[in-house]
Amino acid sequence: MNLQDTLAQPSTQIELPLPISAPGEPFKESAADGFILGGFSWRHASRDTARAVVIINAATSVRCRHYSRFADYLFANGFDVITYDYRGIGESRPASLKGLQASWTDWGALDFEAMLKRAQREFSGQPIDVVGHSFGGCAAGLGASGHLIRRLVTVGAQFAYWRDYAPAQRWRMLAKWHVLMPLVTMIYGYFPGKRLGWLEDTPAGVVRDWSLSTARYEKRASGRAINGQLPFTAVNAQTLAISLSDDPYGTIAAIERLLGYFSGSQNTHWRIEPQDIGEEEVGHFAFFRSAYQATLWPIALSWLQNGELAPDTPGRRVPRS
């Protein structure tokens, strides 16, 4: 494997969102440390305390606009919805990323926490549900107000422990994310992901958390800063972890590793083969593309609506150890 081959890998390319029928309203929200976050909300005209509001947590360095079609789908099915960008990304990006203090733990403990507080304030009395993609599922366990979450759906959620990567792609992914990414970050002071076609530009602290991979989240660079007192156990939500068999990040081992932190929740791990929905491949990023509105999105919708899966849901339950 050479540098050119590694840079050419298309696995992190994402689909630009299509026009949506009910555009979200932009908002600004201040995190506890004063950092201003940007996002969008889909709100029904009439208030209904039986209607849940869904917060969507993005994957690492994926803009919240990537989830706009899915947010619109949830809105059309009776939910209020909040999407937002973590500090340093998209609507929450400052003029420069050099010197920006931002880590994975900040994204959860400060940014996601700010959205929980916003949902509690702006949608007073309504249940709060969360959808987390990739690291967004981990972020759902880092907010101090995690006890507010009623239902949680994660998709390919893990925190990038390299030994959990799919064996066939493990060494290439290790070279890309744990060697090249931090080296490039050292040169630029942040990771210029857009220039490389690898995701959005990413703060150096987030790169440090990702690339210095350990089997325990509290051993990550920013995880150590909270003295091992992780708030995951405060979450007592009905939790559905969806994984795709061709997702090299979201292997069974990776999904189960993160689920182990949600010890206070009722956890279900649902594994789907692309062939279960008539596809050859889905991978890590495609779940939220509009092409899967009829096949994959109803799985998340059913869980958010009822806290259970429909009898004909494609895939299988992964036994919990």
Side-chain angles (χ1 to χ4, degrees):
M1 179 184 63
N2 57 37
L3 176 61
Q4 183 176 1
D5 291 338
T6 302
L7 292 176
Q9 292 304 300
S11 61
T12 53
Q13 295 292 334
I14 62 175
E15 176 190 60
L16 292 175
L18 297 171
I20 59 179
S21 60
E25 295 184 6
F27 68 81
K28 297 293 183 182
E29 181 72 27
S30 178
D33 64 345
F35 194 95
I36 304 300
L37 305 165
F40 301 90
S41 61
W42 283 252
R43 183 196 297 267
H44 288 83
S46 61
R47 182 171 175 271
D48 183 352
T49 56
R51 178 192 303 124
V53 54
V54 180
I55 302 171
I56 299 179
N57 286 350
T60 297
S61 302
V62 175
R63 296 185 66 164
C64 69
R65 290 177 181 269
H66 176 61
Y67 306 90
S68 294
R69 288 292 297 177
F70 182 71
D72 188 50
Y73 170 81
L74 295 180
F75 178 77
N77 280 279
F79 292 90
D80 294 319
V81 187
I82 293 173
T83 66
Y84 70 102
D85 282 311
Y86 308 117
R87 61 188 63 200
I89 308 298
E91 308 298 317
S92 304
R93 176 173 178 153
S96 174
L97 291 187
K98 291 184 178 180
L100 175 66
Q101 298 300 308
S103 66
W104 264 352
T105 299
D106 291 333
W107 281 3
L110 293 173
D111 301 352
F112 172 60
E113 174 68 12
M115 296 304 126
L116 284 172
K117 293 295 189 182
R118 179 180 181 84
Q120 189 179 36
R121 183 185 70 246
E122 296 293 322
F123 300 88
S124 178
Q126 297 180 221
I128 299 174
D129 295 342
V130 175
V131 173
H133 180 206
S134 194
F135 173 76
C138 184
L142 294 172
S145 300
H147 61 278
L148 297 174
I149 304 172
R150 180 189 65 164
R151 292 174 185 147
L152 170 63
V153 175
T154 68
V155 178
Q158 33 65 50
F159 51 87
Y161 176 47
W162 72 273
R163 290 185 183 275
D164 288 340
Y165 294 156
Q169 293 97 339
R170 182 177 298 154
W171 297 108
R172 186 184 298 275
M173 292 168 68
L174 178 67
K176 181 175 183 176
W177 299 119
H178 303 274
V179 178
L180 287 172
M181 183 169 65
L183 286 175
V184 172
T185 301
M186 289 176 61
I187 295 170
Y188 286 90
Y190 68 97
F191 181 64
K194 291 187 71 173
R195 193 176 309 177
L196 296 173
W198 283 16
L199 299 173
E200 293 292 309
D201 296 344
T202 306
V206 172
V207 172
R208 184 165 54 249
D209 278 331
W210 186 340
S211 60
L212 297 178
S213 182
T214 65
R216 299 294 300 175
Y217 184 83
E218 62 270 26
K219 301 293 186 180
R220 299 293 167 109
S222 69
R224 292 194 296 267
I226 53 180
N227 300 316
Q229 300 300 312
L230 299 176
F232 288 92
T233 54
V235 180
N236 58 5
Q238 294 175 296
T239 299
L240 173 67
I242 299 171
S243 66
L244 280 301
S245 65
D246 66 331
D247 176 358
Y249 302 88
T251 61
I252 290 177
I255 303 300
E256 290 294 313
R257 187 177 303 280
L258 177 59
L259 277 181
Y261 281 95
F262 288 95
S263 58
S265 297
Q266 306 166 47
N267 300 324
T268 297
H269 180 180
W270 196 256
R271 188 80 168 167
I272 302 170
E273 304 272 348
Q275 293 77 15
D276 293 336
I277 58 169
E279 300 286 347
E280 293 185 2
E281 59 182 7
V282 177
H284 187 63
F285 289 95
F287 183 99
F288 295 95
R289 293 177 180 170
S290 54
Y292 298 102
Q293 178 171 330
T295 53
L296 294 177
W297 292 6
I299 301 172
L301 178 65
S302 176
W303 192 268
L304 294 172
Q305 289 176 328
N306 308 306
E308 59 185 26
L309 295 167
D312 59 349
T313 300
R316 63 180 178 87
R317 187 185 303 268
V318 177
R320 304 303 315 285
S321 58

